[in-house]
Amino acid sequence: MQQTLVPEAGVGTKEPSRRPQVITAFAGFVIGASVIGMLWALSGVNAGALEDAQDACSALARVGTIPDTTGAAPGDRTVAVLAPEILHRMTAARELSAAAAAANDTYRPLAEHIDGVSRMVFSLHFNQISGQRHLAQAEQLCAQL
């Protein structure tokens, strides 16, 4: 009869180590999670900034026609009276454009022009050439969004 020798468990058999596979899997998980997190964070900021800029433009459009008295006679002291909701919309436009600029520097010119318009509106000095120029620039930037 022929005998076959079978090695006992643990004697002479050595299984390959799984350590390199575990380390590689863990590193892949960490790198993947970091990339996904970074992309998620960056996409949220820019999307919010764009929405804020668009909402600022909508609020500015809802202000309505802002009087232009730059060509009025020097002695003409007609003062326009604005309804409170117009002032609230102007404030909303200014704050939303500032939020967009804080999140994404691309919207800084829009925020600066809307701020110039708001200063003109709140002071009720519609004869300010710079305020009217800010209004034209803000409307032009809003058209590009």
Side-chain angles (χ1 to χ4, degrees):
M1 232 174 149
Q2 199 176 24
Q3 265 187 338
T4 54
L5 298 173
V6 178
E8 293 181 24
V11 176
T13 60
K14 187 173 183 183
E15 292 189 28
S17 174
R18 291 188 183 181
R19 182 172 287 163
Q21 293 173 341
V22 170
I23 291 173
T24 303
F26 182 73
F29 174 77
V30 169
I31 290 170
S34 298
V35 168
I36 295 295
M38 184 175 55
L39 290 174
W40 177 63
L42 290 175
S43 69
V45 169
N46 290 334
L50 175 61
E51 290 171 356
D52 285 345
Q54 290 171 337
D55 290 344
C57 289
S58 295
L60 181 63
R62 291 187 63 208
V63 166
T65 303
I66 296 175
D68 183 358
T69 59
T70 54
D76 188 11
R77 296 258 180 203
T78 305
V79 177
V81 177
L82 300 177
E85 62 269 9
I86 291 176
L87 298 176
H88 291 300
R89 288 183 186 124
M90 191 70 243
T91 302
R94 185 185 67 210
E95 293 301 320
L96 285 165
S97 66
N104 187 336
D105 212 37
T106 304
Y107 302 108
R108 182 135 335 270
L110 177 65
E112 290 171 356
H113 289 301
I114 289 180
D115 182 57
V117 173
S118 72
R119 283 185 273 121
M120 176 184 68
V121 168
F122 294 140
S123 69
L124 298 176
H125 291 128
F126 300 110
N127 60 349
Q128 291 179 348
I129 295 172
S130 64
Q132 294 295 334
R133 186 178 34 109
H134 282 301
L135 178 61
Q137 289 293 321
E139 289 172 342
Q140 182 181 16
L141 290 171
C142 285
Q144 295 173 0
L145 291 180

